[in-house]
Amino acid sequence: MSTIDAGEPSPELDDAEAQMRRLDLFRRAHAAVSDLTWGENVSVYDVLQVARFLEEKEEN
């Protein structure tokens, strides 16, 4: 039986994983913002601010 040597991850895989992490972060931020009661409409900028906050917390 032959073995497959996967070797190092390709740059494309690293890019795809980074995009998936950012997408997951955005989804979590959107869910957090959507669950709150707001006096006015929530914009995408609000969601992005929450995503930045979550990203900073993950880095620490």
Side-chain angles (χ1 to χ4, degrees):
M1 196 160 158
S2 62
T3 350
I4 298 174
D5 179 18
E8 294 295 317
S10 68
E12 292 84 10
L13 177 63
D14 289 338
D15 290 343
E17 286 179 345
Q19 288 177 357
M20 293 300 289
R21 280 192 303 273
R22 291 186 67 136
L23 179 60
D24 181 55
L25 189 65
F26 183 81
R27 284 183 180 163
R28 289 188 328 195
H30 185 269
V33 169
S34 296
D35 286 344
L36 298 174
T37 304
W38 297 86
E40 55 190 56
N41 289 339
V42 178
S43 71
V44 69
Y45 298 108
D46 298 319
V47 174
L48 291 174
Q49 289 295 88
V50 172
R52 281 190 190 137
F53 174 79
L54 292 174
E55 185 175 37
E56 289 174 5
K57 291 296 178 185
E58 282 186 352
E59 290 175 357
N60 293 332

